[in-house]
Amino acid sequence: MAQMHLPKRVKIVEVGPRDGLQNEKETIAADVKVELVDRLTLAGFPNIEAASFVSPKWVPQMATSAEVMQRIQRKPGVVYSALVPNMKGFEAALAARVDEVVIFGAASEAFSQKNINCSIAQSIDRFADVARATKEHGLRLRAAVSCAFGCPYQGEVPLAAVVDVVGRLRELGCDEIDIADTIGVATPNQAHQVMDRVAREFPIAGLSGHFHDTYGQALANIYASLECGITIFHASVAGLGGCPYAKGATGNVATEDVLYLMQGLGIETGIDLDQVVDAGQFISAALGRRAISRAGNAIAAKRAS
Ligand code: HMG
Ligand code: MG
């Protein structure tokens, strides 16, 4: 049974097909991406970040996003999301029938420049157009706040900067806001502090924790966020990933590890861990490497013994 102070159910957003694959150097065939998304759909995720309609010059791996979105087998009720930096990306996302548009800003000026080639203020102006169009078409709108816990270029990021961006994104009408540890530097007290503070700016039911695991703190940060009442977490199957504009940062926390944690805490996710382990082994084999997920590898080893 879930402990009294923790939520009884959480939403896990699988970001592997986007955040997990975007940084891969070798081109991954669309077939592989489609099979990955389909496996994740069957595993029971309510929300899969499947694509990214950004400039292919900036992130070549995501250039097949339209094809992937067209070929996946959608399950009714599952939300398929895609990153959208500007109106050009929005038009492509709309044509690809995404369910949720994800605008992505930062709490750090330096990272905003490196990642999307504009200041935070300019990004909010661009996002305003995207937000308006998203709402006009009746789609869900989510926003990511990168570098909410630290920046690869400027180092510390003041909490006030995070609060400021969250407020501006709230005004754009976001349904959900992701508080992202892009470079995986946060530790649990900081996670507590940031989540508690942003929960005063935006309804807590719509806040998510997007933790990369660079320093091995992601599960601890998720636990701290659960204690704050956060009920949405992002994770990447097999621990794939890294941001092309955050050197050295590793992937998101591995989905298998998060699901194992939730199972142990008695927190429902509606997702079949065994099928996620299979999906993790599938994509790792396709990439020619061992999965990073501790729980995934342990479960796979136990099966083989
Ligand atoms: P720019 O060069 O300033 O854009 O890039 P521009 O408007 O000057 O256009 C330049 C060229 O790009 C033009 O083509 C445009 O048509 C094209 P050309 O005339 O030279 O042939 N272009 C596009 N093409 C396709 N789709 C588009 C698009 N927009 C312009 N949407 C831009 C600005 C934002 C486009 C660029 O910086 C970009 O694409 N950045 C994306 C970077 C990225 O994807 N980073 C990784 C995702 S963020 C992340 O991982 C963090 C997250 O996980 C949370 C966390 O962990 O922190 C979400
Ligand atoms: Mg990320």
Side-chain angles (χ1 to χ4, degrees), residues 15 18-19 22 49 52-59 62 83-90 92 102-105 111-118 126 144-148 178 180-183 210-212 234 242-245 252:
V15 298
R18 195 283 302 171
D19 209 339
Q22 69 179 9
E49 201 166 279
S52 182
F53 293 98
V54 298
S55 162
K57 287 184 191 139
W58 285 64
V59 186
M62 290 289 107
L83 295 197
V84 170
N86 52 23
M87 282 308 289
K88 186 171 171 107
F90 177 79
V102 184
I103 49 181
F104 53 107
F111 187 80
S112 181
Q113 289 290 351
K114 296 272 186 191
N115 195 45
I116 50 175
N117 206 23
C118 64
R126 280 183 200 169
V145 179
S146 286
C147 301
D178 314 326
D181 187 8
T182 315
I183 51 171
H210 176 109
F211 292 106
H212 285 259
H234 293 194
C243 177
Y245 295 97
N252 297 80

Side-chain angles (χ1 to χ4, degrees), residues 64-294:
T64 50
S65 286
E67 183 184 351
V68 171
M69 288 302 293
Q70 196 211 331
R71 291 176 50 200
I72 54 173
Q73 295 207 344
R74 299 174 193 228
K75 187 161 100 185
V78 174
V79 172
Y80 296 92
S81 315
L83 295 197
V84 170
N86 52 23
M87 282 308 289
K88 186 171 171 107
F90 177 79
E91 296 302 336
L94 188 65
R97 295 191 298 120
V98 307
D99 302 302
E100 181 181 67
V101 164
V102 184
I103 49 181
F104 53 107
S108 141
E109 280 295 346
F111 187 80
S112 181
Q113 289 290 351
K114 296 272 186 191
N115 195 45
I116 50 175
N117 206 23
C118 64
S119 68
I120 295 172
Q122 285 168 329
S123 76
I124 298 291
D125 283 347
R126 280 183 200 169
F127 296 154
D129 294 337
V130 174
R132 211 172 300 117
T134 299
K135 292 286 162 184
E136 273 168 20
H137 286 86
L139 304 176
R140 274 179 62 86
L141 179 68
R142 170 151 69 81
V145 179
S146 286
C147 301
F149 302 88
C151 170
Y153 306 106
Q154 76 176 45
E156 276 187 32
V157 174
L159 187 45
V162 181
V163 169
D164 181 60
V165 178
V166 167
R168 296 201 222 181
L169 293 169
R170 180 193 59 220
E171 281 164 22
L172 298 185
C174 291
D175 298 298
E176 219 165 287
I177 298 184
D178 314 326
I179 307 301
D181 187 8
T182 315
I183 51 171
V185 287
T187 49
N189 282 352
Q190 189 191 7
H192 242 290
Q193 192 193 12
V194 173
M195 291 306 191
D196 274 345
R197 182 65 190 83
V198 292
R200 286 172 23 211
E201 301 298 319
F202 194 79
I204 195 160
L207 283 175
S208 80
H210 176 109
F211 292 106
H212 285 259
D213 202 24
T214 316
Y215 286 81
Q217 305 296 301
L219 283 181
N221 292 331
I222 287 175
Y223 193 87
S225 304
L226 282 170
E227 287 184 328
C228 297
I230 300 291
T231 55
I232 310 172
F233 296 98
H234 293 194
S236 175
V237 64
L240 296 170
C243 177
Y245 295 97
K247 290 263 171 300
T250 64
N252 297 80
V253 62
T255 312
E256 298 90 320
D257 297 0
V258 175
L259 293 176
Y260 185 80
L261 173 70
M262 296 303 167
Q263 270 186 10
L265 292 172
I267 298 175
E268 286 174 36
T269 63
I271 299 159
D272 184 323
L273 173 55
D274 271 314
Q275 288 187 59
V276 180
V277 172
D278 290 342
Q281 300 292 313
F282 160 76
I283 189 63
S284 301
L287 297 175
R289 71 171 77 112
R290 188 173 148 80
I292 291 166
S293 167
R294 293 282 185 86

